[in-house]
Amino acid sequence: MRVTASRMIEATTADVFALVAEIEGYAAWLPGTVEAERVAEESGEVGAVYRVVEKQGWRRVTQRLEVVETEAPRRLVVESRPFDFAQDRPWRGGESAQWIWDFWPAGEGSTRVTLVGEAQLPRALRLAGPVVRRLAGWMLGRYLRRLEKAVKETSR
């Protein structure tokens, strides 16, 4: 499944990219994120690994995020997977996802941000694909609205 959302944000590409690339700060603005910490490599660089705890409904899920591509200030690609850090292994049945952030200058001091989410749906959800896709699109739009708000707050 592939879902895309875009939003115009009144800030430079460098400012918007910097906020997204600072994964340790996701709990401050990314909906559902409870905490995030770097566990390997330099922050924001290819190979950097983060432990991110998300609230998903009534439960908390620990994700392993890894930066797989970065081209500051234009692109950031992160892979995520539910992960058991105590056992140092992915959760059985956990589906991985890829998050592709693209940042394009759009006039004086504005940036068009496009977020693409790609994931293989578990078998149990494949029949509900259209509903899941619509919900995922709504969530990506929510992420971009929160990003816009965070950028405005940090530029004050």
Side-chain angles (χ1 to χ4, degrees):
M1 177 182 76
R2 181 182 173 99
V3 180
T4 303
S6 291
R7 188 166 188 91
M8 188 73 69
I9 296 178
E10 292 185 31
T12 67
T13 54
D15 288 346
V16 179
F17 178 88
L19 194 60
V20 173
E22 185 188 342
I23 294 171
E24 296 97 325
Y26 278 15
W29 66 269
L30 190 64
T33 304
V34 177
E35 61 183 87
E37 68 174 334
R38 182 175 48 82
V39 295
E41 302 304 327
E42 288 299 315
S43 203
E45 294 185 15
V46 171
V49 175
Y50 302 84
R51 184 183 69 82
V52 176
V53 179
E54 298 176 343
K55 185 175 181 188
Q56 295 180 356
W58 52 269
R59 64 188 182 134
R60 290 182 181 220
V61 176
T62 301
Q63 300 277 352
R64 178 187 187 272
L65 269 62
E66 181 177 353
V67 176
V68 295
E69 181 184 341
T70 184
E71 183 186 324
R74 298 275 194 252
R75 176 173 259 227
L76 179 71
V77 180
V78 177
E79 287 185 353
S80 67
R81 153 170 258 129
F83 200 80
D84 182 347
F85 280 87
Q87 299 292 322
D88 194 32
R89 64 178 173 79
W91 287 106
R92 288 184 55 194
E95 301 293 335
S96 64
Q98 190 169 71
W99 304 97
I100 304 164
W101 295 86
D102 285 312
F103 309 87
W104 296 100
E108 191 65 34
S110 292
T111 302
R112 171 156 301 281
V113 181
T114 300
L115 174 57
V116 177
E118 294 181 341
Q120 182 69 37
L121 286 178
R123 277 201 160 131
L125 292 178
R126 289 188 186 151
L127 288 176
V131 173
V132 173
R133 187 173 284 110
R134 179 173 285 168
L135 177 61
W138 175 83
M139 288 176 56
L140 294 187
R142 184 172 176 225
Y143 293 170
L144 293 176
R145 289 188 299 277
R146 290 290 300 271
L147 173 61
E148 180 177 33
K149 183 178 177 184
V151 167
K152 287 179 182 178
E153 290 172 356
T154 59
S155 65
R156 289 182 190 167

